[in-house]
Amino acid sequence: MSIKVALAGNPNSGKTTLFNALTGSNQFVGNWPGVTVEKKEGKLKGHKDVALMDLPGIYSLSPYTLEEVVARNYLINERPDAIINIVDGTNIERNLYLSTQIMELGIPVIMAVNMLDVLEKRGDKIHINKLSEKLGCEVVEISALKGTGIRDLANKAVKLAESKKKNTVVHKFANEVEEVIDETKGLLSADIPEEQKRFFAIKLLERDEKIREIMRTVPDVSKQIDKLEKAFDDDTESIITNERYVYISSIIKDCVTKAKSDKLTAS
Ligand code: GDP
Ligand code: K
Ligand code: MG
């Protein structure tokens, strides 16, 4: 039986560099069915039964670009055994926006904080144990370019994939938001596994039309949307985006130490 691991991250996070380092020449390049978005799959070096899938670079699991739709449909429909979420360590705040969404899919996640060589040169420090605790997933530091940490990452990703452990979200948004998410989860049909419910509930609350297309039954969540929008005097999509940034700020405060303040080095 073969294992599938997907590589997901922002554009320029080092996905292709890591993919090439982990698969060598053992790759197949094509297009995703029906669209001109590149599809790349390879065999993980040293693990002959493990396929690595390079997903399109994306900033969000929203439905606004072809790349986002391709990546999320793959993750939802194919359900890889694990996701390697690669983030640019020099731009971690921005990259974590996608990560907070990937954590909600219920698929086991390991985070690879890339560009370790640049971080070290700058004297910046990412406290990976803390980051791991706050995200609820394993975190490793790598330099995809220099090859640092990538064997360890691959071994851990394979172990995680084999474990079949479902990912659970450790972070909670504001109480009023969590209450409405729970209510919405309760309306979802039984064919949606428990660990995937948060993702679908949030997408429905965000009025994501494209997610409705891939759900067998779509509950009416207009009451829940109303309740949230009245409570916050804002639209649900903005409310949830804001909750993600509150969470990300708390992560940055606890997990990142910069040698020089951004304010002093602004250029
Ligand atoms: P992708 O868009 O996510 O596929 O990113 P790429 O793999 O194309 O990498 C974007 C740029 O970052 C390229 O110029 C890479 O050489 C560079 N890069 C990737 N990983 C590292 C790394 O660990 N350290 C450094 N210094 N540069 C890297
Ligand atoms: K770059
Ligand atoms: Mg690339």
Side-chain angles (χ1 to χ4, degrees), residues 10-17 114-118 142-145:
N10 286 13
N12 271 321
S13 57
K15 250 170 3 75
T16 299
T17 309
N114 192 27
M115 313 278 178
L116 180 59
D117 54 315
V118 183
I142 64 164
S143 168
L145 190 67

Side-chain angles (χ1 to χ4, degrees), residues 61-64 72 184 199-213 215 218-230 233-240:
L61 293 179
S62 58
Y64 299 119
R72 75 180 200 177
T184 309
F199 178 80
F200 283 103
I202 288 175
K203 290 295 151 201
L204 289 179
L205 288 170
E206 290 176 333
R207 296 189 178 84
D208 185 323
E209 289 301 324
K210 286 219 162 61
I211 215 71
R212 306 170 74 94
E213 291 167 13
M215 293 175 75
V218 184
D220 176 12
V221 301
S222 51
K223 262 198 207 132
Q224 284 66 35
I225 290 177
D226 253 24
K227 189 166 157 184
L228 207 49
E229 296 193 333
K230 287 217 174 84
D233 192 25
D234 206 345
D235 63 282
T236 46
E237 209 180 347
S238 308
I239 295 165
I240 288 164

Side-chain angles (χ1 to χ4, degrees), residues 22-40:
L22 290 179
T23 62
S25 54
N26 222 329
Q27 22 177 294
F28 319 91
V29 185
N31 276 336
W32 292 89
V35 292
T36 56
V37 175
E38 188 181 76
K39 178 175 184 171
K40 268 203 317 196

Side-chain angles (χ1 to χ4, degrees), residues 138-156:
E138 198 160 4
V139 181
V140 296
E141 283 183 299
I142 64 164
S143 168
L145 190 67
K146 314 258 178 202
T148 320
I150 66 167
R151 294 303 343 148
D152 183 39
L153 167 68
N155 293 337
K156 284 179 171 158

Side-chain angles (χ1 to χ4, degrees), residues 111-258:
M111 178 176 282
V113 177
N114 192 27
M115 313 278 178
L116 180 59
D117 54 315
V118 183
L119 290 169
E120 283 177 338
K121 208 180 274 169
R122 290 185 187 172
D124 294 347
K125 186 110 190 65
I126 295 181
H127 307 280
I128 57 163
N129 292 338
K130 267 219 172 103
L131 185 58
S132 165
E133 195 183 296
K134 295 212 81 166
L135 288 166
C137 76
E138 198 160 4
V139 181
V140 296
E141 283 183 299
I142 64 164
S143 168
L145 190 67
K146 314 258 178 202
T148 320
I150 66 167
R151 294 303 343 148
D152 183 39
L153 167 68
N155 293 337
K156 284 179 171 158
V158 172
K159 271 219 183 84
L160 181 66
E162 285 168 344
S163 78
K164 307 279 174 199
K165 192 186 107 211
K166 313 286 181 227
N167 198 56
T168 41
V169 171
V170 296
H171 178 74
K172 295 268 175 258
F173 295 153
N175 286 340
E176 302 94 313
V177 180
E178 288 296 333
E179 273 168 31
V180 174
I181 292 173
D182 281 343
E183 248 180 69
T184 309
K185 282 166 72 174
L187 299 173
L188 296 172
S189 68
D191 62 292
I192 298 179
E194 189 56 38
E195 72 275 8
Q196 298 180 36
K197 283 188 172 159
R198 185 181 179 87
F199 178 80
F200 283 103
I202 288 175
K203 290 295 151 201
L204 289 179
L205 288 170
E206 290 176 333
R207 296 189 178 84
D208 185 323
E209 289 301 324
K210 286 219 162 61
I211 215 71
R212 306 170 74 94
E213 291 167 13
I214 59 171
M215 293 175 75
R216 225 176 295 164
T217 9
V218 184
D220 176 12
V221 301
S222 51
K223 262 198 207 132
Q224 284 66 35
I225 290 177
D226 253 24
K227 189 166 157 184
L228 207 49
E229 296 193 333
K230 287 217 174 84
F232 285 79
D233 192 25
D234 206 345
D235 63 282
T236 46
E237 209 180 347
S238 308
I239 295 165
I240 288 164
T241 297
N242 186 58
E243 291 299 321
R244 293 195 193 283
Y245 279 114
V246 170
Y247 173 28
I248 290 167
S249 300
S250 82
I251 295 177
I252 298 299
K253 184 166 86 41
D254 285 1
C255 306
V256 181
T257 314
K258 291 206 167 180

